[in-house]
Every structure is written in structure tokens, then in C-alpha cells.
Amino acid sequence: MYELGVVHRNIQRADADITDKLAAFGTSTVHEAMGRVGLMAPVMRPIYAGAQVSGTAVTVLLQPGDNWMLHVAAEQIRPGDVVVAAVTAACTDGFFGELLATSFKARGARALVIDGGCRDVRALTAMAFPVWSRAISAKGTVKATLGSVNVPIVCAGALVYPGDAIVADDDGVVCVPRSMAASTLAAAAKREANEADKRARLASGVLGLDMYRMREPLAAAGLRYVD
Amino acid sequence: MYELGVVHRNIQRADADITDKLAAFGTSTVHEAMGRVGLMAPVMRPIYAGAQVSGTAVTVLLQPGDNWMLHVAAEQIRPGDVVVAAVTAACTDGFFGELLATSFKARGARALVIDGGCRDVRALTAMAFPVWSRAISAKGTVKATLGSVNVPIVCAGALVYPGDAIVADDDGVVCVPRSMAASTLAAAAKREANEADKRARLASGVLGLDMYRMREPLAAAGLRYVD
Amino acid sequence: MYELGVVHRNIQRADADITDKLAAFGTSTVHEAMGRVGLMAPVMRPIYAGAQVSGTAVTVLLQPGDNWMLHVAAEQIRPGDVVVAAVTAACTDGFFGELLATSFKARGARALVIDGGCRDVRALTAMAFPVWSRAISAKGTVKATLGSVNVPIVCAGALVYPGDAIVADDDGVVCVPRSMAASTLAAAAKREANEADKRARLASGVLGLDMYRMREPLAAAGLRYVD
Amino acid sequence: MYELGVVHRNIQRADADITDKLAAFGTSTVHEAMGRVGLMAPVMRPIYAGAQVSGTAVTVLLQPGDNWMLHVAAEQIRPGDVVVAAVTAACTDGFFGELLATSFKARGARALVIDGGCRDVRALTAMAFPVWSRAISAKGTVKATLGSVNVPIVCAGALVYPGDAIVADDDGVVCVPRSMAASTLAAAAKREANEADKRARLASGVLGLDMYRMREPLAAAGLRYVD
Amino acid sequence: MYELGVVHRNIQRADADITDKLAAFGTSTVHEAMGRVGLMAPVMRPIYAGAQVSGTAVTVLLQPGDNWMLHVAAEQIRPGDVVVAAVTAACTDGFFGELLATSFKARGARALVIDGGCRDVRALTAMAFPVWSRAISAKGTVKATLGSVNVPIVCAGALVYPGDAIVADDDGVVCVPRSMAASTLAAAAKREANEADKRARLASGVLGLDMYRMREPLAAAGLRYVD
Amino acid sequence: MYELGVVHRNIQRADADITDKLAAFGTSTVHEAMGRVGLMAPVMRPIYAGAQVSGTAVTVLLQPGDNWMLHVAAEQIRPGDVVVAAVTAACTDGFFGELLATSFKARGARALVIDGGCRDVRALTAMAFPVWSRAISAKGTVKATLGSVNVPIVCAGALVYPGDAIVADDDGVVCVPRSMAASTLAAAAKREANEADKRARLASGVLGLDMYRMREPLAAAGLRYVD
């Protein structure tokens, strides 16, 4: 956040087993399981539909119009990581494209989440390297000013520490702090366990009003029915 | 609009036959047939491409960050309805997801139009329940404050009364007041009847300038050609 | 830019051979080849994914809510052109739809780029006529006020002269001035020639840090590594 | 809303005495008094600080880039009116300036509320004619296409019927339906009566937690204090 | 526009006498006098109310997050100039503050127009150096990458050549091409000459409907009055 | 950030002497002194011009449309504090007005910074209680759902810990972490010491090009001058 010109090489990553299991639950369930916090702003969209990933965060703090630190970050990637990049000021330039994606993928990265722009989206789609970004832009960037790698960052309104678990899908991106990964996984699994039954009942025509016993609190809140 | 805490159970729906036929014309033709009014703002986008529906409106007025009234609305849905939801203040939270969609579908709803956010878009796509929304967001909501069901609402700039006909496709969402449904259908059919012929002529190279006899009014308006 | 009510019939188009070859390089490479200028703002998005075109610009200056000049422009289209339309003030109305696309296609146009709205996107997708626009909107327009055809325009922040080469793909839209088309093609080809080798090296695990010899300048800029 | 090309000459205005008294309470109190509905979106801002007005609505439906109907509306203004203008599609052009303000003022209008742009703001400030608008823009408009006067409109998300009471100040703009004007005034007066006492107590250091008896419901909701 | 790394030292400025006289007419009148073109987007706002200036353009093309070229531009300023700056990609950083303003003022500049951010607005207000900008931001910038000075630029949607006449006031910013300065001044003067009379008539209660003879064309367009 | 339903009563505040001295330097200088980090997004604007404050942060995490936790926060305020409030999802409702300001002021708060809306701005201006907010809105809020007080929050993109030093003025809002307050003050003082001399030299006509010795690096970067 506040350190510029620094690369932290040793970071503590969230447990790989736990992190890997979060993907299947998706962001909406994981975000609920955390108590409805940790979500990035909805301006973060996937460059193609259908990707659903989780991984441990390698964080990058970029300067506007400058992607130098993404190259620095590549060296810090380990298999199972998701690179999460913020910019010190709002900027939609295309910081990331096919060549960097090739490098990130070779290092084992599963995805990029960037509070800025992305380009070469056709190529990225073809190589199945998912990116969640604020914009798509062909605008190129320079390599002139230092940012940082593996410092705490704020990405699209969410605080991300290096090593946190990241979950991303068509609904958005959520950051699970490393210390909450296990409890979040448990809570997500518990939520999901109930959902199949709820889905079946709702599909059969049972109303949420009855299934969730809402009629009484609604009446208590003063809801009136008019014929 | 101005009533909170009320559910109107008996609403007059636009004629089902007429409403059902509007879908095939699509929003652009229907909007033209109405005299170029009734359209929601273009920020309303489908969560997946290709859906094209019409139906009668069950309206919902939500509070920001609170989806309680969508559960209340489910009970008011009849087969052929489209649920249309507004929020008392701008809010992109994910008010609606897979479970509510399962319930709405079981009740016979054809789609949701919501001036807010939607989540579980992959599941909604898989179950072919179309949603037009202002945003996609995993952000969950609470159930704490009353809104209303089947009161007049303003959704993305369009006034919608319960029972109005709603038409939605890849171009957006249009609301056809119940009293205008028949005349709009007639006007849409008339427009469409002309379009095939126009399309053929334009495809053969005839210019709109000639087909629509624009050269004279353009000259009268002062258009100059420079070689 | 400053002329209203004028249609320039004779414009000098960028060389067709050169222009046609630009499409394959895509906007990101072409924009880099130009020195990172000439790009339209990223708000310009294709109505469907995967289109990649280049062509010579027929420019149109529209008035808000009025598509009269698109009909006038149709007559000026020659095979290989891309129509580029600006509006004198921000407006997301659906200036363009299936009928105009039929006419434009019959005249030989390859695409439309419009700093406004587009409609009938399902039909346009079906007929494979690509459009890059600021918005999708069913809102119809009138034919009442003159603009111009083939005058210099500013489209989404880019200056476009009639006859300039336009390149558009999933990453956005770039305008190559006619006088720069040949040198840009050469520079793009040179860039691309290097990319296959770079891609292979990065895919094999070589780091950009080493391949681009960044370690020294990074150290000179003060980058610190912390364990 | 749905009628174009119509001017309703006879409208029923909210009671003048009641409407006039609403101004002193301001939009925040009036909006609360209505049950937290009826507010326009916060994008509507006054062109200068400090104006606080109420009046009866003369409504105008404009076409984008066209201010013809504002001239038509001038004739329908009676002393004590506030003109409220919507546009059939988003448009920030400067529909209104010094000359129209001179005319509106001469007719007895107290203000303009416009979901579009305004210009000549220095002159309007000098003549103390307040305007609440979405934008300030020097962009001129044409007089070519019909809209309507005194039809129901949606202005910045609020539904406004001709004759409704409008209240506007530095906090925004609220529309009070004619039928609710009296009850809203009474509720606003009641709210205000309590405020002086509350203000004094809070100024003396009493906490809202105690004054509003919030400690128990907060504890019931699960609030924990950590030292 | 397309040249980076270049400073043009000799530019042809619009006639000083003509340019100086444009300020008094203001942007709305000048924009009308030009035929309703040449206006920057309304996102360009003055940092304080009441400034009204005109001057000849020294243009600057900046890189995002980098204000190096503003220092280069200072040397090219002559008394009576207005500096107009664009950025190669959207960026709201505070490129300009008190020190640069001191330098610009010492060189004779009358104002800055910047399609980016500005800072030190309290100091700039105190020293009466007006700035029109897209944003106010304390975010500092670097000096690392070349742009250009006195090349054609697109600033907030308007094309500006070095030496063009710039007019800016509370309504926005308009660019008058050098070749149009004289005719625009004449047209503005003519418009203004009529305005005093019109204003007096409207103030006396005459309707624009009558003064502009609109009743007949309105009827011809189909306007209906309903009692 | 991730804790809901918690109030931390004992927080470590930045040193009062140091924090108090930061105000005089203003946000632009403080932000530079920190190395160009820590700034909130420029959407955060003061409700009136001219306020310039610093203080220690009491943080609040709100739910959309719900201001309950501001009442809870009031009790935690100590003289010299600035309340900084974030919302779990984007929301422009008027969370704060005259009554809360009266209470906050009585408790010794110097200002509110809120990533949401504010109302009663005329009264707040009259009582000289400054607020920096994302929006001004009369929209009222409920008191139904728990957030937190004195947990780490992300406000307009900046990470704020309870007790951090906040500096706010017409240029925006910057957060200085508690641990950096002393060094930032020293760096700001050093910057300012140089500014008076620089200002005088620039005012006398010396160019930044010479004063900052930029000519050589510009030439090295390839800047060309054309006559």
C-alpha cells in the first residue's frame, strides 16, 4: 500500500488445499460465507464468460500507464497463484496482454485480476488465461516508474494481502484473507449443503415466504396486503 | 412509487395473447411502434445474449441492499409474468440469484428486469432464466426493510405499472402500458410488414436516400455536396 | 469537425492493400506500431466478440438523436470502407440498426464505428456486420437536422480524417492517418516478427526480466528485494 | 410519459399555500416526511448554492438536443410554478439559458429542474433564477421535433405529474404528489418540531445511542464491544 | 496527435485582437456563432466560478501520470496564451499545481485547460489563475516519458490546433479554429446585438412562441392542445 | 474490513501534535511527502470550499442505505478525530446530516470523510462542519443492519486503519498511516521549505526546465525542437 520500490520475495500463502477448494463454491457463496465482505467492486469483469478460479494472491502495485512491475511480479509467481494488480491512480490502459500471459502461465499463474485495463483479449481467450479487469484497452504502457510486488494493495475497493485466497468467476472477484480461508471454506460448504434441498423445494413451488418463515416478520414490520 | 409496505394482490394484466405476440417484434420495433417512448436506459443489459421475451409486469420496489420484497413478489407471480424491480436509491448489489430464479420459474415467471445487480449468472444462464440488470455483482443483500409489490415504479427511467406489457431482448427493455398494448402490437406488425421489402431493396443496392425520398428535404435543409 | 451541412464526395483513401493488411495485426500491435497514439477510448466496444477488421474511413458527423446523415453517408461508401460516426454531443441513442446495416453492407462497408448507440444487435450479429459502439440502445432517432459526411471528426477521443485507415477488434478501435499507413504496417510487421520468438521463450519459462534485460534498470531505479 | 405532441392546458395544481410552505423544510425533511420516496437521483445539482424553493410542476418532455418544448411550456407557466423537464433519452446539452429564464421568470416560474444540461449559468446566477440540472453545457439545441407539455414524466428517476409539488435545495430535488402535499407538509412540520430539541440535546453531548434508545436493539442485533 | 517527442516552437496564433474580444461573448454565444460545434465535453469544469477568458492555444500532449511536458510547454508560452493539455489515455492525476501556475503566469498564460486533473486549487484560486479540468486530484505525477508540445490534440472531444482561439467560462470551453476566429467574432457580435432586444421583450411577457413565430411550425409538426 | 458487528473501543491514535501539524501542508504536499500513495479517489469532494483539516481516524463500516453505525461511532469520538466511513457496497444515500454533525461536533470531531452521500449541506456549511463525500443526497437511511466501528476499512480506494492521520482539503483526502505520521510531517516540511524559493524563481520568469535541470534528460529521452 505504502511501500514503493519493494519486492517481497517470501510471503505466506493461504493453504493450497483450502484455496483450491474455494473455486467450486463461486464468489457469491464465498462472499456470503465470509459475512458479505471482501468483494471487489462490480466494475471488475471477466474478459470471457465461464472461467471460475481460486488461487493465492501475488500482489502488484502499478503506476498509471506503466506495467514494469508486472514483469517483476512474474518471477514471484508460484504454481497456484493468482496475480492481483492495483494502480496508484485510476487508469484503464492495457497493462497486460498475450506475452505477459504466456509468461505468467509458464510460471503457474491461474489468472490475473487487475484494477486497470487488459488487451489481446482474443488471444487470452484462445489460450484460456482468464483475466478480471476494469476495462479492455489496446493502450500500451511504458516501463519507467517503480511500484511494488507483494505489498498490501487495495484492488477495486477490496484490501488484498499477499498470500490471501482469491476467488473469481462470472459474478466477480472476492478476496479471502489467509487467516479466514479455512473457516470460509467450512461456511461455504455448509451453505452449499443446504442449497440443493432449498432449490428442490423452491422448484416444486414452495415459496421462500414459507420456507424461510418470512410471513411473521413481514407482518411485524407492517406489510399490508391489498386486494 | 410512493407506497411502502404494501402488496397489491389483484392487478389488471395486459391481455396475454397480445403481450405474448410482442416478443417476436423485439424492443426496437416495439419502441418505434409506441412513438419512441417507454424505453429503459441502455444501462440495462441482459446477463446472456439471445434471450427475447415479453410478459406482464409484476412490479417490486426494493430498498438498497435488501431483497426481502423479491420473496414477497414470488407469491404474486402468475405464468406469463415478468418481474420488474426498482430500488429506492441506486444500488448494484446482487439482489437476485439462482434460488430466487428457481422459485420465480416455478411460479411461471419468464424473466426478471432489475434496476440493480444480479448474481449467479452462470447458473441463471444454464437454467435459461433471463435477467436484464444494471450490474452483475456477487454482493449479497439483507431482508430487513419493507418495500412494496405491484405499485407503480420507475425502473431505469421508465415508468412501469403492474400489469403493463414488458418486452426485452439484446437491445434493451421497453415497457408498453396496458392500455397501449393492442395498438402497439398493431403498429409493430405494420412496421414489420414493411421491413422485409425495405430490407430486400436496400440489400439490392437501393439507397435509403432514394427509398425514403430524402434528397429533397436534405436539399431544402441546405445540404451541400462538394467534389 | 467544424463544417455542418456538407458532404465531401471525393476523398483520398489510404492505400487499399496496406489498409487491408493491417487487420491481421490487430489494434494493440497497430497502436504500438504508431507510437501508442491514435486509439479510441475503451468505452468503444464490439457488439459481438471475434470481429477483426480494417478499412478506409468514411466519416459522419451526426446530431444527437438524429441519424439522417447515416443515410447520406451510405451513398459515399465504397467497398473496403469502414464508416466512422461521431455525434456533436454525447448521445447513446440507437442510430444504427438492421436496415442501415443491410444498405451499408450492400455498398461494401466492412463495419461501423460509432460514438453513440447501436440497435438490432442480434440481427447484426446474424448478418455478421460488426459494429463498435459506445452503447447498445433500442432508442430510435429522427431525421431532422444536418450534420456532415467526410469531414474530420473526433470519435471517442480519436481524430479521424476521411480516408484514414481504421483497425478494430476485441481490444478496441485505432485510427491510422492515411500518411502513416505504410510506415505503421511496416512497424507492425516488424513487431510481430519478434513476437513469436518472445512468446516461445516466455512459454519456456524465461522471464521478461531477463529477456528484456530489465534487472539493471530496475536496480538503478532503486528496486529493493526483501526476503 | 407516452404522449408526444400534446400540450395539456388545464392541469390541477397542488394547493398553493401548502406547496409554498414546503420550501422551508427542505428536501431532506420533506423526503423523510414522505416515507423516503420521491427523490430525484443525486446527479441533479443546483447551478449555484443556497437556493431553496417549492412550487407546482409544469412538466415538459423534450427530445435529445432539442429545446422546442421549453418554449411551448413557457405559455403554460403560472406564478408559483416550477418547470420540470425530462428528455426521452440521456442528453446533457444546454437546453436552457438566459433568454428562456427571462421568459420563464416573467411568467412567474420559480425555478427549472431539468434532467439534461443548462447554460448561461453566470447570467442565471446573477438574475437569481435557480436551476437544478444533470449537467452544465454550452451546447446549443435545435427546435425540430415535438415532445409534450404537462404529461407525466420521469425526471432523474422520479415520477412527476403535472401539478405535483416540487421542493428543491442544496440537497437535491423531491417530488411530492399532489394528493400527498397536505399530509407531507403535516409530517414535515412534525419532524421539524422535534428536531430543535434533539439538536440541543446532541449539542450538549447526549449521544444518539441514548436519545434514540439504540443500545438495546444494537445488542439484540449482536453488536460486540472490544477493548 | 500523432507526433510524440516533438516541440513546435513556431506556431501561427489566431489574431490577438480578435481572440481577446471573444471572451466577453462567452462560450455559449461563441459556440452558437460557430454553428454549434467546437465545444469540449461538459466534464470540463472550472476550478472556481466566475472566470471568463479567451486566448491562443499552446497545446500539450501528456502521458498518463506524467507532467513533464507541461514544464516543456512553459517555455513556449507567450502573453495571451491559454495552455490546452490532453493526455494519451484517460487520467485524472493532478498534473498541474501552484508552482507550474506561477511559472505559466509569469510567462503570460491566462489559463490552463486540461483533460486530466488539477491540484492546489485553493492556491490557484487565491492567485486567480483559472483552470478548466476533468478532475481535481492531489495525485502527483512523474517526469519520465515524452509527449509533445504544439501538436494538434483532442481535448475532451474537441480538436485543438496550436494557435487556435480558446474561450472558457462557467459554461465550459470552446475551441475556435484560427481560420474561423474573425467570422466567429462577427457572428457572435451579431447574435449578441439581437439578444438585448429579445431579452427585453421576453422580460415584458412576450412569449418566445410569438417572438420566434413558432406557432405555425409547431402546428405543422402536429402539436395538439388539450383542455 | 472483515469484521462485522464489532466496535473497537481502544485504538492507538497517531500522535496529536504531529497530526495537527499536517493540516497546514495540505493533501498535495502530504501525498508527495508519502511517496505519492495513500490518496483517496478524486470522487471525494468537500461539501464547501476552503476547509483544510487533519485529525486521527475513527473508522466506520456501514451497510448500504443504513447509517446505524454512525450513531455507534459517535460515542468513540475524541477531540481531534476525523470520522472516516466506508460502505460495504457502493451507495450514495445521505447517511449523514445536521443532527449527526451536531453530535459529532459536540464530541470533538473535526470532519467526516464518507464514501457515500451526505445531506443538509446548507446547515453543515453554516455550522462549519466540513464533510468530504462521494455525493450529496437527501436520501434518508434506515437503522437495521450492523457494520463495525474502528476496524480497518477501504474508503474511496484508500486503506484506513483506526488512528491513522487524515488530511483533507480542496484537493481531496489523504490517509497517513500512524507509523508514517512523523516521517511524513518531516518530509512535508522539507518539501515546503523549498517551495517558497522555487515559487519566487518561477515568478521571476525562471523556467522549470532550467530550475529543475530538465533539458539534458529531455534531450536524452529524444525530445526534438522544430522551428
Side-chain angles (χ1 to χ4, degrees):
Chain A
M1 197 71 214
Y2 297 109
E3 282 182 301
L4 289 174
V6 176
V7 181
H8 288 273
R9 271 193 287 229
N10 293 323
I11 63 171
Q12 284 202 279
R13 285 168 168 84
D15 182 89
D17 269 3
I18 290 170
T19 300
D20 290 357
K21 285 180 183 143
L22 287 169
F25 294 100
T27 56
S28 292
T29 295
V30 168
H31 155 74
E32 290 282 352
M34 285 178 68
R36 294 192 195 116
V37 293
L39 200 68
M40 294 190 188
V43 72
M44 299 296 286
R45 298 299 303 145
I47 59 167
Y48 57 84
Q52 189 157 337
V53 306
S54 58
T56 40
V58 164
T59 65
V60 187
L61 185 57
L62 299 163
Q63 301 287 355
D66 191 312
N67 76 344
W68 215 7
M69 300 316 285
L70 288 174
H71 291 278
V72 175
E75 191 175 26
Q76 307 307 317
I77 295 170
R78 293 196 196 158
D81 282 342
V82 169
V83 181
V84 184
V87 191
T88 60
C91 182
T92 61
D93 288 3
F95 294 88
F96 183 86
E98 189 187 4
L99 287 180
L100 269 167
T102 302
S103 178
F104 278 28
K105 201 172 182 178
R107 305 289 299 177
R110 292 178 178 166
L112 172 72
V113 173
I114 183 165
D115 195 353
C118 173
R119 62 183 188 174
D120 296 339
V121 297
R122 191 150 89 157
L124 297 180
T125 304
M127 64 192 281
F129 189 85
V131 177
W132 282 259
S133 69
R134 174 179 292 273
I136 292 168
S137 172
K139 180 70 170 63
T141 49
V142 299
K143 295 164 208 343
T145 310
L146 295 186
S148 289
V149 173
N150 282 333
V151 295
I153 58 169
V154 173
C155 181
L159 174 60
V160 183
Y161 279 87
D164 283 350
I166 302 296
V167 186
D169 62 13
D170 288 344
D171 288 351
V173 185
V174 65
C175 173
V176 184
R178 190 166 55 90
S179 63
M180 294 174 68
S183 59
T184 298
L185 177 63
K190 195 172 162 193
R191 270 187 81 85
E192 190 100 326
N194 293 330
E195 292 227 338
D197 175 57
K198 285 184 191 166
R199 207 178 295 123
R201 292 171 68 190
L202 293 169
S204 75
V206 174
L207 286 167
L209 286 177
D210 298 310
M211 192 172 81
Y212 300 113
R213 299 178 188 281
M214 289 174 174
R215 291 192 192 273
E216 203 176 320
L218 282 165
L223 188 67
R224 292 177 302 117
Y225 283 84
V226 179
D227 287 324
Chain B
M1 197 71 212
Y2 297 109
E3 282 181 302
L4 289 174
V6 177
V7 181
H8 289 272
R9 271 193 288 228
N10 294 323
I11 61 172
Q12 285 203 279
R13 286 170 168 82
D15 182 89
D17 269 4
I18 290 170
T19 301
D20 290 356
K21 284 179 184 144
L22 286 169
F25 294 100
T27 56
S28 292
T29 295
V30 168
H31 155 75
E32 290 281 351
M34 287 178 66
R36 293 193 195 116
V37 293
L39 200 67
M40 294 189 189
V43 71
M44 299 297 285
R45 299 298 304 144
I47 59 167
Y48 57 85
Q52 189 157 338
V53 306
S54 58
T56 40
V58 163
T59 65
V60 187
L61 185 57
L62 299 163
Q63 300 288 357
D66 192 312
N67 76 344
W68 216 7
M69 301 314 285
L70 288 175
H71 291 278
V72 175
E75 192 175 26
Q76 308 307 317
I77 294 170
R78 291 194 196 160
D81 282 342
V82 169
V83 180
V84 184
V87 192
T88 60
C91 181
T92 61
D93 288 3
F95 294 89
F96 183 86
E98 188 186 5
L99 287 180
L100 270 168
T102 303
S103 178
F104 277 28
K105 201 172 182 179
R107 306 289 300 178
R110 291 176 179 167
L112 171 71
V113 174
I114 184 165
D115 194 353
C118 173
R119 62 183 188 174
D120 296 338
V121 298
R122 190 150 90 156
L124 297 180
T125 304
M127 64 193 280
F129 189 85
V131 176
W132 282 258
S133 69
R134 173 178 292 273
I136 292 168
S137 171
K139 180 71 172 64
T141 50
V142 300
K143 294 164 209 341
T145 309
L146 295 186
S148 289
V149 172
N150 282 333
V151 296
I153 58 169
V154 172
C155 182
L159 175 58
V160 182
Y161 279 88
D164 282 350
I166 303 297
V167 187
D169 62 12
D170 288 344
D171 288 352
V173 185
V174 66
C175 173
V176 183
R178 190 165 56 89
S179 64
M180 295 173 69
S183 60
T184 298
L185 177 63
K190 195 172 162 192
R191 270 187 80 86
E192 189 100 327
N194 292 331
E195 292 227 337
D197 175 57
K198 284 184 191 165
R199 207 178 295 124
R201 292 173 66 192
L202 292 168
S204 75
V206 174
L207 286 167
L209 286 176
D210 297 311
M211 191 172 81
Y212 299 114
R213 299 178 186 282
M214 289 174 174
R215 293 192 191 274
E216 204 176 318
L218 282 165
L223 189 66
R224 292 177 302 118
Y225 284 84
V226 178
D227 287 325
Chain C
M1 198 70 212
Y2 297 110
E3 282 180 302
L4 289 174
V6 177
V7 181
H8 289 273
R9 270 193 288 229
N10 294 323
I11 62 171
Q12 285 202 279
R13 285 169 169 83
D15 182 88
D17 269 3
I18 290 169
T19 301
D20 290 356
K21 285 179 183 144
L22 286 169
F25 293 100
T27 55
S28 291
T29 296
V30 168
H31 155 75
E32 290 282 351
M34 286 178 68
R36 294 195 193 113
V37 293
L39 200 69
M40 294 190 187
V43 72
M44 300 297 286
R45 298 299 303 144
I47 60 167
Y48 57 84
Q52 189 157 336
V53 306
S54 58
T56 40
V58 164
T59 66
V60 187
L61 185 57
L62 298 163
Q63 300 287 357
D66 191 312
N67 76 344
W68 216 7
M69 301 315 285
L70 289 174
H71 291 278
V72 175
E75 193 175 25
Q76 308 306 318
I77 294 170
R78 292 195 196 160
D81 282 343
V82 169
V83 180
V84 184
V87 192
T88 61
C91 182
T92 61
D93 288 4
F95 294 88
F96 183 86
E98 187 186 5
L99 288 180
L100 269 167
T102 303
S103 178
F104 278 27
K105 200 172 183 179
R107 304 289 298 178
R110 292 177 178 165
L112 171 71
V113 173
I114 183 165
D115 195 352
C118 172
R119 61 184 189 173
D120 297 339
V121 297
R122 191 149 89 155
L124 298 179
T125 304
M127 64 192 281
F129 189 86
V131 176
W132 283 258
S133 70
R134 174 179 292 273
I136 292 168
S137 171
K139 179 72 171 62
T141 49
V142 300
K143 295 163 206 343
T145 309
L146 295 185
S148 289
V149 173
N150 281 333
V151 296
I153 59 169
V154 172
C155 182
L159 174 60
V160 183
Y161 279 87
D164 283 350
I166 302 296
V167 186
D169 62 13
D170 288 343
D171 288 351
V173 185
V174 66
C175 173
V176 183
R178 190 166 54 89
S179 64
M180 294 173 69
S183 60
T184 298
L185 177 63
K190 195 172 161 192
R191 270 188 81 85
E192 189 101 327
N194 293 330
E195 292 227 338
D197 175 57
K198 284 184 193 166
R199 206 178 297 124
R201 291 172 67 192
L202 293 168
S204 76
V206 174
L207 287 166
L209 286 177
D210 297 312
M211 191 172 81
Y212 300 114
R213 299 177 187 282
M214 288 174 174
R215 292 190 192 274
E216 202 176 321
L218 282 165
L223 189 66
R224 291 178 301 119
Y225 284 84
V226 178
D227 287 323
Chain D
M1 198 70 212
Y2 297 109
E3 282 181 302
L4 289 174
V6 176
V7 181
H8 288 272
R9 270 194 288 230
N10 293 323
I11 63 172
Q12 283 203 280
R13 285 169 169 83
D15 182 89
D17 270 4
I18 290 169
T19 301
D20 291 356
K21 284 178 183 145
L22 286 169
F25 294 100
T27 55
S28 291
T29 295
V30 167
H31 155 74
E32 290 281 352
M34 285 177 69
R36 293 195 195 114
V37 293
L39 200 68
M40 294 188 187
V43 71
M44 299 296 286
R45 298 298 305 145
I47 59 167
Y48 56 86
Q52 190 157 338
V53 307
S54 58
T56 40
V58 164
T59 65
V60 187
L61 185 57
L62 299 163
Q63 301 286 358
D66 191 310
N67 76 346
W68 215 7
M69 301 315 286
L70 288 175
H71 291 278
V72 175
E75 192 175 26
Q76 307 307 318
I77 294 170
R78 291 195 196 160
D81 282 343
V82 168
V83 180
V84 184
V87 191
T88 60
C91 181
T92 61
D93 288 3
F95 294 88
F96 183 86
E98 188 186 6
L99 288 180
L100 268 168
T102 302
S103 177
F104 277 28
K105 200 172 183 179
R107 303 290 299 178
R110 291 175 179 168
L112 171 71
V113 174
I114 183 166
D115 194 353
C118 173
R119 61 184 188 173
D120 296 339
V121 297
R122 190 149 91 156
L124 297 180
T125 304
M127 66 192 279
F129 189 85
V131 176
W132 282 258
S133 70
R134 176 178 290 273
I136 293 169
S137 172
K139 180 70 171 62
T141 49
V142 300
K143 296 163 208 341
T145 309
L146 294 186
S148 289
V149 173
N150 283 333
V151 295
I153 58 170
V154 172
C155 182
L159 174 60
V160 183
Y161 279 88
D164 283 350
I166 302 297
V167 186
D169 62 13
D170 288 344
D171 288 352
V173 185
V174 66
C175 173
V176 184
R178 189 165 56 88
S179 64
M180 295 173 68
S183 60
T184 298
L185 177 63
K190 195 172 161 193
R191 270 188 80 86
E192 189 100 328
N194 293 331
E195 292 227 338
D197 175 56
K198 284 184 192 165
R199 206 178 295 122
R201 291 172 67 191
L202 292 169
S204 76
V206 174
L207 286 166
L209 285 178
D210 298 311
M211 192 172 81
Y212 299 114
R213 299 177 188 281
M214 289 174 174
R215 293 193 192 271
E216 203 177 321
L218 283 165
L223 189 66
R224 292 178 302 119
Y225 284 84
V226 179
D227 287 323
Chain E
M1 200 69 214
Y2 297 109
E3 282 181 302
L4 289 174
V6 177
V7 181
H8 288 272
R9 270 194 288 231
N10 293 324
I11 62 172
Q12 283 203 280
R13 286 169 168 84
D15 181 89
D17 270 3
I18 289 170
T19 301
D20 290 356
K21 284 179 184 145
L22 286 169
F25 294 100
T27 55
S28 291
T29 295
V30 167
H31 156 76
E32 290 282 351
M34 286 178 67
R36 292 192 197 117
V37 292
L39 200 67
M40 293 188 188
V43 72
M44 299 296 286
R45 299 298 304 145
I47 59 168
Y48 57 85
Q52 190 158 338
V53 306
S54 58
T56 39
V58 163
T59 65
V60 187
L61 185 57
L62 299 163
Q63 301 287 358
D66 192 311
N67 76 344
W68 215 7
M69 302 314 286
L70 288 175
H71 290 278
V72 175
E75 192 175 26
Q76 308 307 318
I77 295 170
R78 292 195 196 159
D81 282 343
V82 168
V83 180
V84 184
V87 191
T88 59
C91 182
T92 61
D93 288 3
F95 294 88
F96 183 85
E98 189 186 6
L99 287 180
L100 269 168
T102 302
S103 177
F104 277 27
K105 201 172 182 179
R107 304 289 299 177
R110 291 177 179 168
L112 171 72
V113 173
I114 182 165
D115 195 353
C118 172
R119 61 184 189 172
D120 297 337
V121 297
R122 190 150 91 156
L124 297 180
T125 305
M127 65 193 280
F129 189 85
V131 176
W132 282 259
S133 70
R134 175 179 290 273
I136 292 168
S137 172
K139 180 70 171 62
T141 48
V142 300
K143 295 164 209 340
T145 310
L146 294 186
S148 289
V149 173
N150 282 332
V151 295
I153 58 169
V154 172
C155 182
L159 174 59
V160 182
Y161 279 88
D164 283 349
I166 302 296
V167 186
D169 62 12
D170 289 343
D171 288 352
V173 185
V174 66
C175 172
V176 184
R178 190 165 55 89
S179 64
M180 295 174 68
S183 60
T184 298
L185 177 62
K190 195 172 161 192
R191 269 188 81 86
E192 188 100 326
N194 292 332
E195 290 227 338
D197 175 56
K198 284 184 193 166
R199 206 177 296 123
R201 291 172 68 191
L202 292 169
S204 77
V206 174
L207 287 165
L209 286 177
D210 298 311
M211 194 172 80
Y212 299 114
R213 299 177 188 281
M214 289 175 175
R215 292 192 191 273
E216 204 176 318
L218 282 164
L223 189 67
R224 292 177 302 118
Y225 284 85
V226 178
D227 288 325
Chain F
M1 200 68 213
Y2 297 108
E3 282 181 301
L4 288 174
V6 177
V7 181
H8 288 272
R9 270 194 288 231
N10 293 323
I11 62 171
Q12 282 202 279
R13 286 169 168 83
D15 181 89
D17 269 4
I18 289 169
T19 302
D20 290 356
K21 283 179 185 145
L22 287 170
F25 294 99
T27 56
S28 291
T29 296
V30 168
H31 156 74
E32 290 281 353
M34 285 178 68
R36 293 193 195 116
V37 292
L39 200 67
M40 292 190 189
V43 72
M44 299 297 286
R45 297 299 302 145
I47 59 168
Y48 57 85
Q52 189 158 338
V53 306
S54 58
T56 39
V58 164
T59 65
V60 187
L61 185 58
L62 299 163
Q63 301 286 357
D66 192 311
N67 76 344
W68 216 6
M69 300 316 285
L70 289 174
H71 290 278
V72 174
E75 192 175 25
Q76 307 307 318
I77 295 170
R78 292 196 197 159
D81 282 343
V82 169
V83 180
V84 183
V87 191
T88 59
C91 182
T92 61
D93 288 4
F95 294 88
F96 184 86
E98 188 187 4
L99 288 180
L100 269 168
T102 303
S103 178
F104 277 27
K105 201 173 182 178
R107 304 290 299 178
R110 291 176 179 168
L112 172 71
V113 173
I114 183 165
D115 194 353
C118 172
R119 62 184 190 173
D120 297 337
V121 297
R122 190 150 91 156
L124 297 180
T125 305
M127 65 191 280
F129 189 86
V131 176
W132 282 258
S133 69
R134 175 178 291 273
I136 292 169
S137 171
K139 179 71 170 62
T141 48
V142 300
K143 294 164 208 342
T145 309
L146 295 186
S148 290
V149 173
N150 282 333
V151 295
I153 58 169
V154 172
C155 183
L159 174 60
V160 183
Y161 280 87
D164 283 350
I166 302 296
V167 186
D169 63 12
D170 289 344
D171 288 352
V173 185
V174 66
C175 173
V176 183
R178 190 165 56 89
S179 64
M180 295 174 67
S183 60
T184 299
L185 177 63
K190 194 172 163 193
R191 270 187 80 86
E192 189 100 326
N194 293 332
E195 292 227 338
D197 175 57
K198 285 184 191 166
R199 206 177 296 123
R201 291 171 68 190
L202 293 169
S204 75
V206 174
L207 286 166
L209 285 178
D210 298 311
M211 192 171 81
Y212 299 114
R213 299 178 187 281
M214 289 174 174
R215 292 192 192 273
E216 204 176 319
L218 283 164
L223 189 66
R224 291 178 303 118
Y225 284 84
V226 177
D227 288 323

